[in-house]
Amino acid sequence: MSDNAVKKHKLIQYANGRSLEEINGTVKVPRNISFGKALFMYSGPGALVAVGYMDPGNWSTSITGGQNFQYLLMSVILISSLVAMLLQYMAAKLGIVSQMDLAQAIRARTSKALGIVLWIMTELAIMATDIAEVIGAAIALYLLFNIPLVISVFITVFDVLLLLLLTKIGFRKIEAIVVCLILVILVVFAYQVALSNPNWGGVFAGLVPTGATFAEKPVIGGNNPLQGALGIIGATVMPHNLYLHSAISQTREIDHNDEADIARTVRFASWDSNIQLTLAFFVNALLLIMGVAVFKSGSVKDPSFFGLFQALSDTSTMSNGVLAGVAKTGILSTLFAVALLASGQNSTITGTLTGQVIMEGFVHMRMPLWLRRLVTRLISVIPVLICVMMTSGKSAIAEHTALNDLMNNSQVFLAFALPFSMLPLLMMTDSKLEMGKFKNAMWVKILGWVSVVGLTVLNMKGLPDQIAAFFGDNPTAAQTNTANLIAYLLIAAILALLVWTIVELHQGNKRLANHLKSEGVESAVEAAKVDGVENQEA
């Protein structure tokens, strides 16, 4: 048996090639076609990215924000979406121009030790989002088909079979399926909001941020506007999306010897990303409007998926007679559960692809997608099963609250991982050495630094409250002090790790500069072009 045949039969292989090699450059885009046709051909990667901005983790934060503070936090959803557009533009551009995804680019400039640390941290963040997907999908199955929760949790493991099927049909069809599921979610919530006849003047007024948006008073339902805003921001901008976009932006065939072709791909990738993230903004805005307009103010006592499902079938919680009449039929609650299931399946696809990207990029290991999905899903299922079993003898409300708390508390890992994807992304796309003429324009650079610093500070500021949440809804003074101590130690560790990352990236840039100087070129893009020409001549 040949070495290649043996290698193919190994479940875990060494990988140091192109990002997501099986789909890299597989979608051909004809030249000299109209803008509309070109946009259609380039559309798709943005949809897979947008999924992360409307996953189950976003739902309760947006709806609860509307219930507690009316339309005040609409501006937070808008700002988060605009920041997301900026970061995803840079991620796509990095992949297209450098021919490396973000994990590969970081690893190429840093040490093996740091690569392993960042890989573990990002894996934890992906698993945290996976917990939200397990909970969302299991609850949807329970609500739609009355399948016991423990069995529903185990059923979510078998979505690996769905992934196996999708890997056989081609990446373009996967993109189409994801877009269809996004449209299902959008239509469901648009229908419910349309029936509620919201105060559109209040909606548009809420899009303008004020001092009250980030105030620490009033406290409603145990939250103030600042905590509500931090929850929305934390659930919206996720680190794994930056790794994913830098990889799947390379699925279109590009002539890297032709700067015009690179520029065209960057331009249409930006169009695709911004259009899909605009849809994600509308979904999150509709969720917040639901909290205000669909339900009577303060009527949703249980913000968990169970509570929202129950509230959508309870005529006494509806804000008007039309909604009450429709709620009586059970359509509103059923549509909500269908949208929840669609959201979970969408996230299954993107989470698995991202896991493969960071494993190959940071530690140069590859395993089959189905195996990776099976391993990560089984790990994510464990805390959910423990939570369900521990509350099985208690009331339904206790079980629902425990699952909701687990989902919200798991998101704490996102605060750790986010700076370590944003900061390297910004440093690399700002660099002429890395990007050549495609480096960030000055306005992108300024907005990028404001966004990165702002998001990092807000995440760190919200960390004490997130840690305190592990002690329950009403922690004692001693527990609060313990949570603050743990949070400050974690913040110190994060800052130290950030300094380590920045120092190694800076040293890596110096090595790159010396290498390029010896090659007689000014940027890595030019060096890649020279190598491409030499390979063609050979």
Side-chain angles (χ1 to χ4, degrees), residues 78-111:
L78 177 61
I79 292 168
S80 297
S81 299
L82 293 174
V83 170
M85 290 179 186
L86 184 69
L87 292 172
Q88 297 301 160
Y89 157 73
M90 289 190 283
K93 184 171 68 171
L94 176 71
I96 293 165
V97 175
S98 72
Q99 304 179 61
M100 291 188 291
D101 60 56
L102 180 58
Q104 290 174 326
I106 294 173
R107 180 66 184 86
R109 304 283 175 261
T110 57
S111 65

Side-chain angles (χ1 to χ4, degrees), residues 208-287:
V208 181
T210 64
T213 306
F214 298 98
E216 296 187 5
K217 292 183 179 180
V219 177
I220 301 173
N223 283 315
N224 57 39
L226 175 61
Q227 290 171 321
L230 288 173
I232 289 172
I233 292 169
T236 301
V237 183
M238 294 188 178
H240 65 272
N241 272 327
L242 303 179
Y243 293 102
L244 177 65
H245 206 181
S246 63
I248 59 177
S249 62
Q250 300 178 55
T251 54
R252 272 52 184 174
E253 188 179 54
I254 306 167
D255 180 2
H256 281 92
N257 296 318
D258 183 357
E259 282 191 353
D261 197 35
I262 297 174
R264 180 178 78 145
T265 307
V266 170
R267 180 161 54 95
F268 279 105
S270 302
W271 271 100
D272 170 43
S273 175
N274 291 340
I275 289 170
Q276 303 292 351
L277 288 173
T278 299
L279 289 178
F281 161 73
F282 281 120
V283 168
N284 287 318
L286 288 169
L287 284 164

Side-chain angles (χ1 to χ4, degrees), residues 205-529:
L207 292 171
V208 181
T210 64
T213 306
F214 298 98
E216 296 187 5
K217 292 183 179 180
V219 177
I220 301 173
N223 283 315
N224 57 39
L226 175 61
Q227 290 171 321
L230 288 173
I232 289 172
I233 292 169
T236 301
V237 183
M238 294 188 178
H240 65 272
N241 272 327
L242 303 179
Y243 293 102
L244 177 65
H245 206 181
S246 63
I248 59 177
S249 62
Q250 300 178 55
T251 54
R252 272 52 184 174
E253 188 179 54
I254 306 167
D255 180 2
H256 281 92
N257 296 318
D258 183 357
E259 282 191 353
D261 197 35
I262 297 174
R264 180 178 78 145
T265 307
V266 170
R267 180 161 54 95
F268 279 105
S270 302
W271 271 100
D272 170 43
S273 175
N274 291 340
I275 289 170
Q276 303 292 351
L277 288 173
T278 299
L279 289 178
F281 161 73
F282 281 120
V283 168
N284 287 318
L286 288 169
L287 284 164
L288 187 140
I289 295 169
M290 271 184 67
V292 181
V294 171
F295 307 108
K296 293 176 183 175
S297 180
S299 64
V300 179
K301 303 300 182 185
D302 179 3
S304 72
F305 296 137
F306 297 99
L308 293 170
F309 179 86
Q310 185 63 39
L312 284 167
S313 57
D314 184 354
T315 57
S316 67
T317 64
M318 296 293 102
S319 63
N320 63 48
V322 174
L323 277 168
V326 179
K328 191 185 299 184
T329 67
I331 290 176
L332 294 182
S333 54
T334 300
L335 287 175
F336 176 83
V338 168
L340 184 58
L341 190 59
S343 177
Q345 294 313 303
N346 256 346
S347 300
T348 290
I349 299 167
T350 58
T352 307
L353 288 173
T354 308
Q356 193 69 12
V357 168
I358 64 165
M359 181 180 281
E360 291 184 18
F362 281 131
V363 293
H364 302 321
M365 282 170 44
R366 174 187 298 157
M367 63 172 64
L369 287 178
W370 65 267
L371 178 60
R372 178 180 169 86
R373 186 60 187 171
L374 194 59
V375 171
T376 55
R377 178 48 63 98
L378 286 172
I379 293 172
S380 302
V381 155
I382 291 170
V384 182
L385 280 176
I386 292 172
C387 184
V388 171
M389 290 174 179
M390 285 180 64
T391 57
S392 60
K394 299 181 181 179
S395 66
I397 293 176
E399 183 179 64
H400 301 170
T401 302
L403 280 172
N404 201 55
D405 289 345
L406 173 63
M407 183 177 69
N408 292 334
N409 293 340
S410 69
Q411 306 301 296
V412 73
F413 292 106
L414 303 181
F416 300 162
L418 191 57
F420 299 96
S421 55
M422 292 192 302
L423 193 63
L425 174 65
L426 188 56
M427 289 176 66
M428 288 179 184
T429 52
D430 279 347
S431 170
K432 187 174 181 180
L433 281 175
E434 299 280 359
M435 306 296 287
K437 64 176 288 186
F438 295 99
K439 74 170 188 171
N440 292 333
M442 183 56 68
W443 69 271
V444 174
K445 186 175 182 178
I446 293 170
L447 289 176
W449 278 106
V450 170
S451 300
V452 168
V453 172
L455 281 172
T456 302
V457 170
L458 285 172
N459 270 291
M460 297 303 102
K461 188 172 183 179
L463 199 53
D465 286 334
Q466 287 181 301
I467 301 296
F470 282 89
F471 293 106
D473 293 334
N474 298 299
T476 64
Q479 289 173 334
T480 301
N481 290 334
T482 302
N484 288 338
L485 176 62
I486 293 171
Y488 296 141
L489 289 173
L490 288 173
I491 289 170
I494 290 169
L495 292 176
L497 192 52
L498 272 177
V499 170
W500 182 15
T501 305
I502 292 168
V503 168
E504 289 215 3
L505 285 172
H506 181 68
Q507 291 173 342
N509 261 357
K510 286 176 68 175
R511 289 194 298 271
L512 175 63
N514 292 334
H515 172 72
L516 294 176
K517 188 175 180 180
S518 67
E519 295 284 325
V521 293
E522 293 185 354
S523 70
V525 180
E526 288 182 31
K529 190 190 298 185

Side-chain angles (χ1 to χ4, degrees), residues 45-157:
L48 273 73
V49 168
V51 165
Y53 293 92
M54 58 179 92
D55 72 347
N58 294 71
W59 291 30
S60 62
T61 55
S62 295
I63 293 176
T64 305
Q67 272 280 291
N68 291 343
F69 309 111
Q70 300 294 295
Y71 300 111
L72 182 66
L73 301 182
M74 282 291 294
S75 60
V76 178
I77 294 176
L78 177 61
I79 292 168
S80 297
S81 299
L82 293 174
V83 170
M85 290 179 186
L86 184 69
L87 292 172
Q88 297 301 160
Y89 157 73
M90 289 190 283
K93 184 171 68 171
L94 176 71
I96 293 165
V97 175
S98 72
Q99 304 179 61
M100 291 188 291
D101 60 56
L102 180 58
Q104 290 174 326
I106 294 173
R107 180 66 184 86
R109 304 283 175 261
T110 57
S111 65
K112 181 179 180 180
L114 182 58
I116 291 172
V117 171
L118 295 180
W119 171 58
I120 293 171
M121 183 179 296
T122 312
E123 286 283 12
L124 288 173
I126 292 174
M127 288 178 190
T129 60
D130 210 23
I131 287 173
E133 292 157 21
V134 170
I135 292 172
I139 291 174
L141 291 170
Y142 168 78
L143 296 174
L144 287 170
F145 308 110
N146 203 28
I147 301 172
L149 271 175
V150 172
I151 297 174
S152 294
V153 170
F154 276 114
I155 289 175
T156 66
V157 175

